[in-house]
Amino acid sequence: MIPGGGQPNMQQLLQQAQKMQQDLARAQEELAATEVEGQAGGGLVTATVTGSGELRALVIDPKAVDPEDTETLADLVVAAVKAANDNAQQLQQQKLGPLTQALGGGMPGLGF
């Protein structure tokens, strides 16, 4: 209820909800189109992911390739992908956080 006993304007509330949904959809599209990177081993391995978390590229410097030590290379790949995903989550929080809070809470699965 509105202070003073008035009823909320349902048409206005519906329009506000639709606008917030449109804003959220637009932000999600921007995230899917935006790429962020994560690096490991001082830049020997670089992972590129979208703001929505899709792995797009993985670049491995030839100096990181040692046939006798593939475990280290695997660790560097995992670390680079994790760093890129961490950057994507930060971007998600920046873009979607205010919108999801306005909709009444966080978004399950996105960490906020």
Side-chain angles (χ1 to χ4, degrees), residues 35-39 46-50 57 59 80-81 83-88:
E35 293 183 345
V36 293
E37 290 185 346
Q39 295 184 343
T46 301
T48 303
V49 299
T50 64
V59 178
V81 172
N85 280 325
D86 288 347
N87 290 337

Side-chain angles (χ1 to χ4, degrees), residues 20-103:
M20 285 191 292
Q21 285 179 327
Q22 290 170 348
D23 291 346
L24 183 59
R26 191 174 311 113
Q28 288 173 325
E29 288 173 11
E30 283 181 36
L31 283 171
T34 303
E35 293 183 345
V36 293
E37 290 185 346
Q39 295 184 343
L44 290 175
V45 177
T46 301
T48 303
V49 299
T50 64
S52 58
E54 178 187 347
L55 181 63
R56 288 276 175 94
L58 186 64
V59 178
I60 301 172
D61 187 305
K63 292 181 232 164
V65 180
D66 178 356
E68 302 296 319
D69 186 14
T70 57
E71 288 180 29
T72 297
L73 178 56
D75 289 343
L76 290 174
V77 169
V78 169
V81 172
K82 182 184 179 323
N85 280 325
D86 288 347
N87 290 337
Q89 284 187 342
Q90 289 177 359
L91 184 61
Q92 288 172 0
Q93 288 176 339
Q94 291 171 359
K95 295 259 185 208
L96 299 179
L99 294 173
T100 58
Q101 289 172 359
L103 289 172

